């Protein structure tokens, strides 16, 4: 549980669907004939940016600088939610120093949450999701592997009224990619292929760290994985939301080596396979929703 939290607003709780028909009614956007794409776009006022952080004191201020520099299309506000997963370094001091000493801050809302004990990246994301007040949210790693300058690329299908979920793919488009580990790339593509078999999606990068979700959808989904199993679990469950519209756009990737602080390893790959199989065999879309 978090022991420190600064917050400004919260979403009103919504009723949980009890039947598949109710679920379809709650989550269907494409069936609406009263709301144009432009009207949907106008309704996007705030983007929640969740930053799970564990021992990132060397990069956290840099990533906040890059977020601060971004001007979102259509004057969308930025809400930054930093979840410090019980770091052992000076991550907390770096965050507090940044908030206190950065002039011309363009981030409209700042929330800082600290876990009492280290729980894992997935658990930190769960905490951030619960606190998000934007109409859409995305996950931003505290390292420098993903570029906040591409937020508008991720948001484009959303502001056009076409998407509920957007994945940023490291394997499509002509964006810069750091050349690193051959077997990691093979592993990522294998995990994406295996995930696609169960979800019937045609993603090119299931394991991407850049995922944008409609907040009213993701906050109603029951998520269990506390480490890197978050990626296959959320993909499996989001694919089962009735009438959900998922898009994929090409992004850049500035990967780190293990010496530079990369944390994911082969055990996480095995866990990902387990999660793909476990959540791929869910028998009904109702199994993904939180219970009352």
């Amino acid at each position: 549980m978090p022991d420190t939290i600064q917050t400004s607003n919260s979403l009103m709780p919504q009723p949980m669907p009890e039947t598949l028909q109710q679920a379809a009614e709650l989550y269907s956007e494409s069936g609406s004939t009263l709301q144009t794409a432009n009207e949907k776009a106008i309704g996007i006022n705030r983007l929640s940016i969740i930053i799970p952080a564990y021992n990132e004191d060397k990069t956290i201020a840099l990533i906040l600088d890059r977020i601060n520099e971004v001007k979102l299309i259509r004057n969308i506000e930025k809400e930054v939610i930093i979840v410090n997963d019980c770091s052992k370094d000076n991550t907390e001091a770096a965050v507090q120093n940044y908030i206190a000493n950065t002039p011309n801050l363009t981030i409209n809302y700042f929330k800082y949450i600290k876990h009492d004990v280290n729980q894992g990246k997935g658990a930190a994301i769960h905490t951030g999701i619960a606190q998000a007040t934007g109409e859409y949210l995305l996950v931003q790693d505290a390292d420098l592997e993903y570029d906040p300058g591409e937020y508008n690329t991720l948001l484009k299908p959303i502001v056009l009224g076409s998407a509920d979920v957007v994945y940023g793919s490291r394997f499509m488009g002509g964006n810069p990619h750091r050349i690193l580990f051959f077997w990691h790339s093979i592993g990522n593509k294998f995990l994406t292929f295996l995930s696609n078999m169960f979800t019937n999606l045609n993603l090119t990068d299931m394991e991407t760290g850049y995922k944008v979700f409609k907040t009213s959808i993701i906050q109603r989904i029951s998520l269990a994985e506390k480490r890197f199993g978050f990626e296959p679990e959320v993909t499996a469950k989001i694919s089962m939301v009735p009438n959900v519209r998922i898009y994929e756009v090409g992004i850049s990737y500035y990967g780190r080596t293990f010496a530079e602080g990369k944390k994911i390893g082969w055990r996480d790959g095995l866990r990902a396979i387990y999660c793909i199989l476990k959540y791929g065999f869910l028998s009904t879309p109702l199994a993904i929703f939180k219970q009352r």
Side-chain angles (χ1 to χ4, degrees):
M1 297 294 293
D3 65 357
T4 304
I5 180 167
Q6 300 168 359
T7 184
S8 54
N9 293 295
S10 61
L11 290 174
M12 294 296 292
Q14 300 293 326
M16 298 300 111
E18 295 180 342
T19 67
L20 185 56
Q21 178 61 33
Q22 289 179 2
E25 292 173 355
L26 275 172
Y27 295 110
S28 174
E29 296 288 338
S30 59
S32 173
T33 59
L34 300 177
Q35 197 173 30
T36 67
N38 187 54
E39 286 170 337
K40 291 179 182 179
I42 291 173
I44 305 171
N45 299 310
R46 184 181 308 166
L47 175 69
S48 296
I49 302 162
I50 300 169
I51 306 178
Y54 178 66
N55 293 344
E56 299 287 3
D57 62 352
K58 294 180 176 60
T59 60
I60 189 73
L62 296 173
I63 202 67
L64 288 172
D65 259 340
R66 295 185 183 182
I67 294 172
N68 194 49
E69 291 169 358
V70 174
K71 179 175 174 56
L72 297 180
I73 50 178
R74 306 204 181 190
N75 295 314
I76 296 172
E77 295 178 336
K78 290 176 286 186
E79 174 185 59
V80 169
I81 305 170
I82 300 172
V83 183
N84 183 352
D85 194 27
C86 197
S87 296
K88 301 296 189 285
D89 63 359
N90 294 317
T91 295
E92 180 168 351
V95 171
Q96 300 292 8
N97 181 66
Y98 185 88
I99 296 172
N101 298 303
T102 302
N104 303 316
L105 201 63
T106 68
I107 297 168
N108 304 88
Y109 304 91
F110 237 120
K111 298 179 184 178
Y112 175 76
I113 305 167
K114 182 179 179 182
H115 284 169
D116 293 329
V117 296
N118 180 258
Q119 300 177 45
K121 179 182 177 180
I125 295 173
H126 299 169
T127 298
I129 289 172
Q131 294 297 324
T133 65
E135 290 86 359
Y136 284 80
L137 64 84
L138 66 79
V139 178
Q140 170 70 63
D141 287 348
D143 54 36
L144 304 176
E145 290 191 329
Y146 296 89
D147 179 14
E150 296 177 332
Y151 286 173
N152 288 327
T153 300
L154 293 161
L155 286 170
K156 185 176 180 180
I158 293 169
V159 300
L160 292 177
S162 299
D164 303 307
V165 178
V166 178
Y167 278 41
S169 173
R170 297 165 290 179
F171 304 124
M172 62 183 288
N175 307 78
H177 295 79
R178 184 177 180 181
I179 303 302
L180 281 174
F181 308 113
F182 170 76
W183 288 111
H184 272 202
S185 65
I186 295 298
N188 279 333
K189 291 175 182 178
F190 170 74
L191 292 174
T192 297
F193 174 78
L194 188 62
S195 174
N196 286 345
M197 287 178 60
F198 285 93
T199 62
N200 197 30
L201 301 176
N202 62 340
L203 293 170
T204 65
D205 191 6
M206 178 273 294
E207 288 281 352
T208 178
Y210 262 175
K211 295 179 173 72
V212 186
F213 301 99
K214 190 170 186 177
T215 305
S216 61
I217 293 178
I218 195 66
Q219 285 185 334
R220 296 174 189 169
I221 291 178
S222 177
L223 297 168
E225 294 299 316
K226 293 188 174 183
R227 284 182 53 79
F228 294 101
F230 169 82
E231 313 296 352
E233 179 192 12
V234 77
T235 301
K237 291 182 175 179
I238 206 72
S239 72
M240 299 183 71
V241 174
N243 299 313
V244 70
R245 300 166 303 165
I246 304 173
Y247 274 64
E248 196 175 42
V249 299
I251 59 167
S252 307
Y253 182 61
Y254 303 88
R256 295 193 295 179
T257 66
F258 290 105
E260 293 168 332
K262 193 171 187 67
K263 300 178 178 70
I264 194 167
W266 63 269
R267 290 184 179 86
D268 297 301
L270 294 179
R271 180 69 184 183
I273 295 173
Y274 168 79
C275 291
I276 290 170
L277 298 176
K278 176 181 179 181
Y279 300 111
F281 283 110
L282 289 173
S283 59
T284 168
L286 293 180
I288 71 175
F289 299 133
K290 291 178 180 177
Q291 301 300 311
R292 289 174 182 262

